[in-house]
Amino acid sequence: MTQQAFGKTADGTPATLYTMTNKNGMQVAITNYGGTVVSIKVPDRKGTIADVTHGYDDAAGYETGKAYFGGTIGRYGNRIAHGTFSIDGVQYALPKNDGENTLHGGLMGFNKVFWTVKDISGNGPVALQLDYVSKDGEEGFPGKLTVRVIFTLTDSDELKINYAATTDKKTVLNLTNHTYFNLGGSGTILEEELMLAADKFTPVDKGLIPTGVLQPVAGTPFDFRKPMVIGSRIGDDEEQLKFGRGYDHNWVLNSKGSAKPSLVATVFDTKSGRKMEVWTTEPGIQFYTGNFLDGTIKGKGGTPYVLRSALCLETQHFPDSPNHPSFPTTELLPGAKFSSETIYKFSTK
Ligand code: GLA
């Protein structure tokens, strides 16, 4: 584990970049600003290392950035319709930062705050523990939420993310990580192959809020049960793809939310040979194809991030669950401990 300065936020607070390296030379860098995954460096089938993630060169980039690159997302990942929900008859109002809706925790989500970081590697694999306490009422959410996220880089080339949280009042939460992946290291992700172990997805309205229906993927461009080239159907004349400007939907994982992580997705880049598996205990996954990227964001080393130059696989509970009692619950009660685990495992073939 190495540490280096990672610039400052506007108020002068210095950020730190922590780089974990495993025995194979795979590297994952994380900053305390936003609990953000800044880079993941893995070899291709010839052994050439590339950074397979989008991001910025310093904390200031993340502070002003609006794309959530690599961030730890909370208190509520994805959207809450009209910025409101109720618990036990009490209605809560959240800042609306995505049209009429609240996205990724509001204006100052967990990706925009400093986390307390501790190296907990010991004798095992390299690991970083990140802690944050979200105040009662922060961004409109009830209850003081104590959150711990542990990032572990194993010698099997896995980035393992363990989330834990407790609250002092009944609240809602949906924690995820928003890394943008491009296994080729550059270009677009349209030729990469994706598998999603999901028979259903949650179709949305124009504002990308789930209608509440769990729709079978069979016979639609949302069927990734067998590996499919991402770009093969993305331009189909289909209402859901139009609403999302591409893929920006939640898949209902067949594993349903399992006690142990289940294999829910694979991405394979035929050109470089890089492969990524996603394992999770969560019941859903947001597959997003970088539809809002348009080349105006200049990221690491000044690289313009163009349309569909990366994809996200955000393991999660379903969007807007607090307003959909039929969805798996996102409520957390005092005295209970929330925990979940997601693994991004890299290999080549
Ligand atoms: C999620 C959302 C998208 C978009 C990205 C970040 O994937 O569903 O609509 O907001 O995050 O740009």
Side-chain angles (χ1 to χ4, degrees), residues 75-82 84-87 94 102 141 171-175 202 204 208-212 214 250-252 282-286 316-332:
R75 185 176 301 200
Y76 198 96
N78 212 281
R79 293 176 178 77
I80 295 183
H82 308 293
T84 186
F85 65 94
S86 298
I87 297 179
L94 314 172
T102 301
F141 291 96
T171 191
V172 294
L173 89 164
N174 193 21
L175 301 175
T202 51
V204 290
L208 300 186
I209 298 295
T211 60
L214 307 186
N250 170 68
W251 270 255
V252 178
E282 285 292 313
I285 199 165
Q286 188 83 9
Q316 62 183 2
H317 274 58
F318 306 170
D320 200 31
S321 294
N323 294 310
H324 289 280
S326 62
F327 288 175
T329 185
T330 49
E331 283 187 358
L332 182 66

Side-chain angles (χ1 to χ4, degrees), residues 66-68 78-79 103-104 178 180 208 248 286 288 292 314:
K66 294 190 171 67
Y68 306 91
N78 212 281
R79 293 176 178 77
L103 176 65
H104 294 329
H178 211 309
Y180 283 63
L208 300 186
D248 189 356
Q286 188 83 9
Y288 169 63
F292 296 120
E314 304 150 66

Side-chain angles (χ1 to χ4, degrees), residues 225-344:
R225 291 174 296 177
K226 293 202 182 98
M228 289 291 292
V229 173
I230 292 167
S232 62
R233 301 165 298 177
I234 201 168
D236 283 11
D237 184 14
E238 205 271 345
E239 187 178 55
Q240 284 298 312
L241 287 170
K242 295 223 162 81
F243 286 167
R245 304 175 175 210
Y247 295 105
D248 189 356
H249 297 78
N250 170 68
W251 270 255
V252 178
L253 296 170
N254 293 341
S255 53
K256 287 188 156 75
S258 46
K260 288 267 157 61
S262 305
L263 177 64
V264 297
T266 60
V267 187
F268 178 55
D269 177 43
T270 43
K271 274 195 219 140
S272 66
R274 290 193 190 90
K275 186 180 163 192
M276 181 176 81
E277 292 179 355
V278 185
W279 297 68
T280 193
T281 58
E282 285 292 313
I285 199 165
Q286 188 83 9
F287 169 48
Y288 169 63
T289 40
N291 311 317
F292 296 120
L293 300 176
D294 60 5
T296 54
I297 298 175
K298 304 282 185 290
K300 294 173 203 169
T303 308
Y305 293 136
V306 301
L307 184 70
R308 306 204 170 126
S309 56
L311 60 85
C312 301
L313 287 164
E314 304 150 66
T315 56
Q316 62 183 2
H317 274 58
F318 306 170
D320 200 31
S321 294
N323 294 310
H324 289 280
S326 62
F327 288 175
T329 185
T330 49
E331 283 187 358
L332 182 66
L333 276 58
K337 185 176 172 188
F338 170 83
S339 66
S340 76
E341 180 169 331
T342 292
I343 299 167
Y344 296 101

